[in-house]
Amino acid sequence: MDTPIEVLRRVFGYDSFRPGQQEIIDHVVDGGDALVLMPTGGGKSLCYQIPALVRPGVGVVISPLIALMQDQVDALRALGVRAGFLNSTQGFDERQLVEAEFLAGELDLLYLAPERLRVDATVRLLEKGDIALFAIDEAHCVSQWGHDFRPDYLMLSDLHERWPSVPRIALTATATPDTHKEIASRLRLEQAHHFVASFDRPNIQYRITSKADPKRQLLDFLRTEHDGDAGIVYCLSRSSVEKIAEFLADNGIPAVPYHAGLDAATRAAHQARFLREDGLVVVATIAFGMGIDKPDVRFVAHLDLPKSVEGYYQETGRGGRDGQAATAWMAYGLQDVVQQRKLISEGDEAHRRRQALHLDAMLALCETVGCRRVMLLDYFGQDHSEPCGNCDTCLSPPETWDGTVAAQKVLSAVYRLWSERHQRFGVGHLVDILLGKQTPKVQQHGHDTLTVFGVGTDLGQPEWHAVIRQLLAQGLLSVEPAHSTLVLTDLSSGVLRGQRQVPMRRDLTRPASRTKLARGSSRPSTDTTLTPEATDTFERLRTWRATTAKEQGVPAYVIFHDSTLREIATQSPTTLDALATINGIGQNKLTKYGPQVLTVLTNPT
Ligand code: ADP
Ligand code: ZN
């Protein structure tokens, strides 16, 4: 029987394990239960796929992502792995065929939607077969915070009673201690070995910029840094998704929208195009992306503030799964904070408090003057004491200034307006007062007689917005949901009385440091810059891959990843043996595509 490393090389064509994989695989191969916490893109799939191939019997994978099962199975089949799935999208005949294969021992891996296990027939079927392991993917679905699949996932706690000798491996990219504990108890995995991998994704460059003209900023970012790349743009609302997708398309960037308001067929079609085409941008609400394992997503952009650091990290983690450089870019501004603070007004007290904590952590990340990665990893309870050198604050450290006096001006203006709080005085009006502008609203309410009128002419409007944003982020100011009015908090008086300093970060007014950032984003060592000849070969290989993928009806990356094509183009192997040494070419793909690849290499026309 093959060892795990032999399977890694022969089937998957990879040289070595990523950090953590080997220990997890060995543990499960030996029959142990495991709870695996690994970041998105860390390489969780191999942790159950390889044990399923090494152990006798079929590996049963429980995954809620029905829409992706076909692609997952196709990708495994392309590697020569005998995989199948059972879910509600299938017809009777297709299902029967898979069941027959399972019973005949002709499958290595069987993907199941969790609700299948509620059906007696499925349980009886499984009982008749030989099971190598149960893998429970997206295991955070058992947790109590708003997951659609929860009832089905809670049923999975029975697996252990029914199949006491079959190892179970539960996997998730959600790593907060609360979720971790909850998964362990709900799935009865307290006794399992817990593997917590490093959450660092060093190839992702984290950048958070202040929002001025977000559409333009996005366009600028895409044109200058990600021309022709595949990526995801996240927006909060359906309407902004539609607007931004249209805006990008109008500007010559191929983009499609994705949100829960679109009908299922359109959503499926847009997702399929994203997976299959090179260089498509999906503009989406957070309804998009769970379980998508497209390896060559080169950027993830946020035009609105995510609700939590967990969410942000999951979403940005969808970039750069292939280990090549990717950018996590976000534009964030005052309105984001106002809006999110307002949204927190719903639900019971405990729920609101929890949401507020999530938001505070997210805001702290946005406003930090320290390394973003250090802060992110710290959030997940992991130490990373060295600044990373691959985030915006490392690459162009922001300046700080003493914002105490500015803060006092804002807070006293808010205080003066307090007696009229039943009125809707938003941020705009407040800043007009500070700047001493004689607007109709100012005159109507006689606000030009306030002592704070015109005290803020030392700063401009964008600077005042930045000040207010940071006061909101630091909890020195709040938003009253009913009237969207700014209000003081318990902490405000300390500032007003001069007992508390308020350090602030200075926003970069323009993306001045692009050259610096571009240099910083120099691709990791695995990625070699191609010579002109190699670029030419690479493009020919991509054309061949696109044709082949189309013929076979699979995404291009199922044939070969970009990184594999790039390596072929650089090394120009002339024999199958030489081709076999390239990362990402296992035995099956060598036999299937090797001769064609060599032909592409030798026939430049
Ligand atoms: P996750 O499920 O943790 O988000 P995946 O299992 O989809 O991550 O793996 C992410 C990518 O990394 C995939 O494209 C996979 O083929 C690749 N990968 C995983 N393990 C290795 C390895 N040991 N060597 C090279 N590539 C790997
Ligand atoms: Zn950093």
Side-chain angles (χ1 to χ4, degrees), residues 424-444:
R424 284 176 186 270
F425 296 135
V427 170
H429 184 61
L430 190 95
V431 173
D432 286 343
I433 293 174
L434 291 171
L435 292 175
K437 284 197 186 161
Q438 290 286 359
T439 66
K441 198 166 184 176
V442 164
Q443 288 173 349
Q444 182 196 341

Side-chain angles (χ1 to χ4, degrees), residues 194-212:
H194 293 198
F195 295 90
V196 182
S198 164
F199 267 66
D200 193 10
R201 297 284 316 280
N203 58 315
I204 299 180
Q205 183 177 88
Y206 296 95
R207 280 155 52 189
I208 302 178
T209 181
S210 61
K211 205 187 255 185

Side-chain angles (χ1 to χ4, degrees), residues 8 14 16-18 21 39-46 293 295 321 561:
L8 180 78
Y14 297 137
S16 53
F17 285 112
R18 290 215 181 135
Q21 286 178 328
T40 308
K44 285 186 283 300
S45 324
L46 288 188
D293 55 6
R321 278 167 189 255
H561 285 187

Side-chain angles (χ1 to χ4, degrees), residues 36-67:
V36 174
L37 277 62
M38 215 183 243
T40 308
K44 285 186 283 300
S45 324
L46 288 188
C47 295
Y48 56 81
Q49 288 167 349
I50 291 184
L53 292 172
V54 173
R55 286 175 63 88
V58 185
V60 176
V61 185
I62 292 139
S63 162
L65 309 165
I66 294 179

Side-chain angles (χ1 to χ4, degrees), residues 528-545:
T528 42
T529 314
L530 298 178
T531 62
E533 283 130 83
T535 306
D536 185 53
T537 314
F538 176 64
E539 289 309 329
R540 278 189 287 121
L541 286 165
R542 283 214 329 170
T543 310
W544 163 80
R545 183 181 66 176

Side-chain angles (χ1 to χ4, degrees), residues 334-471:
L334 173 58
Q335 280 314 316
D336 287 301
V337 196
V338 173
Q339 189 174 27
Q340 292 284 3
R341 285 262 187 249
K342 260 164 53 185
L343 287 175
I344 293 183
S345 58
E346 289 143 30
D348 61 36
E349 173 68 25
H351 184 63
R352 285 203 303 269
R353 202 170 328 123
R354 209 183 156 90
Q355 284 193 309
L357 287 174
H358 281 307
L359 179 58
D360 287 345
M362 191 63 223
L363 293 174
L365 178 72
C366 292
E367 301 291 357
T368 185
V369 290
C371 170
R372 307 247 192 230
R373 195 179 311 271
V374 166
M375 193 150 184
L376 281 166
L377 291 174
D378 183 61
Y379 184 81
F380 294 112
Q382 300 192 344
D383 223 23
H384 189 294
S385 36
E386 289 294 301
C388 75
N390 193 26
C391 72
D392 53 355
T393 53
C394 279
L395 293 165
S396 49
E399 280 176 44
T400 54
W401 60 292
D402 181 0
T404 311
V405 173
Q408 286 168 338
K409 289 177 182 172
V410 170
L411 297 180
S412 19
V414 170
Y415 179 74
R416 307 283 165 218
L417 292 178
W418 174 241
S419 57
E420 301 170 66
R421 66 189 174 280
H422 50 281
Q423 307 275 1
R424 284 176 186 270
F425 296 135
V427 170
H429 184 61
L430 190 95
V431 173
D432 286 343
I433 293 174
L434 291 171
L435 292 175
K437 284 197 186 161
Q438 290 286 359
T439 66
K441 198 166 184 176
V442 164
Q443 288 173 349
Q444 182 196 341
H445 294 274
H447 286 164
D448 47 356
T449 62
L450 295 174
T451 47
V452 289
F453 187 73
V455 296
T457 47
D458 50 330
L459 299 179
Q461 195 215 40
E463 287 80 23
W464 282 115
H465 281 193
V467 168
I468 297 171
R469 189 192 76 217
Q470 295 185 63
L471 290 172

Side-chain angles (χ1 to χ4, degrees), residues 444-506:
Q444 182 196 341
H445 294 274
H447 286 164
D448 47 356
T449 62
L450 295 174
T451 47
V452 289
F453 187 73
V455 296
T457 47
D458 50 330
L459 299 179
Q461 195 215 40
E463 287 80 23
W464 282 115
H465 281 193
V467 168
I468 297 171
R469 189 192 76 217
Q470 295 185 63
L471 290 172
L472 283 165
Q474 296 181 30
L476 297 170
L477 194 60
S478 187
V479 180
E480 192 220 1
H483 299 96
S484 335
T485 304
L486 295 171
V487 291
L488 299 183
T489 70
D490 296 346
L491 302 174
S492 309
S493 60
V495 179
L496 282 167
R497 282 199 224 106
Q499 293 159 346
R500 186 184 171 124
Q501 301 285 101
V502 190
M504 292 200 176
R505 72 177 266 161
R506 200 182 299 284

